Amino acid sequence: MSQTNAATVQHKPTTRQRWTATDLGLIAVFAALVAASAIVPGIPVGALGVPITLVTLTVMLSGLVLGAGRGFAAVGLYVLLGLAGLPIFSGGRSGLGILATPSAGYIIAFPLAAAATGYLAAIVIRRTVKSRALWLFAATMVSSIVIIHGLGVVGMMVNAKLDFAKAFLADLPFVPGDILKNVLAVIIATAIHKAFPDVLVRRVK
């Protein structure tokens, strides 16, 4: 290989961005925000007692504001701390035993949904100017329905021994609330994007 080619290889620019102290701080702040939202008493729904909480609001907000990687890290940190024993799941629950409850699918889905929302939000920011809030809302709904509700249904099928139809019906009461929470998450995220564009907007452009 010639010296010119070697230099080209060595100095090839990369699009990967390393996380800074600010990024790590944001991850910690949003993990704490998700934990705080779980402390607010939930509303148990149906015979299984899976609660309606504010967690899905902060999960979506994490993805919308931080993007895929940092959103996943923030919500993943929350889940890991809860599984490790901190009483930060809804109702003050904690520990690995949560994975044997009907709520398990939702909890596993949270980091994945934050990542998917962040990924879709980055695409929306790159490609849209008009109706951006509407597209961001669509991103949250796709992540909610496909990932959170999808894995939530699977979790109830596995841990509560329900068939698909019964698990699907048990999940339905959560959908209207998630629509409202996604609207609120988009409103908050849009305001944050305008006030602090360096957090995500300028990173993806």
Side-chain angles (χ1 to χ4, degrees), residues 43-74:
I43 303 173
V45 175
L48 298 178
V50 179
I52 295 176
T53 71
L54 294 178
V55 175
T56 49
L57 166 62
T58 51
V59 166
M60 293 301 167
L61 186 62
S62 298
L64 289 171
V65 174
L66 299 182
R70 294 177 301 169
F72 176 86

Side-chain angles (χ1 to χ4, degrees), residues 77-89 92-95:
L77 176 60
Y78 157 75
V79 171
L80 287 176
L81 291 175
L83 294 177
L86 290 182
I88 54 176
F89 293 137
R93 297 175 297 170
S94 64

Side-chain angles (χ1 to χ4, degrees), residues 26-27 30-31 33-34 55-76 110-125 136 139-140 143 148 182 185-186 189-190 192-193 199-201 203-204:
L26 287 170
I27 289 169
F30 274 81
L33 181 63
V34 178
V55 175
T56 49
L57 166 62
T58 51
V59 166
M60 293 301 167
L61 186 62
S62 298
L64 289 171
V65 174
L66 299 182
R70 294 177 301 169
F72 176 86
V75 182
F110 288 155
L112 302 177
T117 301
Y119 175 78
L120 294 173
I123 294 175
V124 169
I125 290 170
L136 290 175
T140 63
S143 299
I148 294 180
N182 286 343
V186 170
T190 301
I192 293 175
H193 289 169
V199 173
L200 179 61
V201 176
R203 288 173 65 97
V204 301

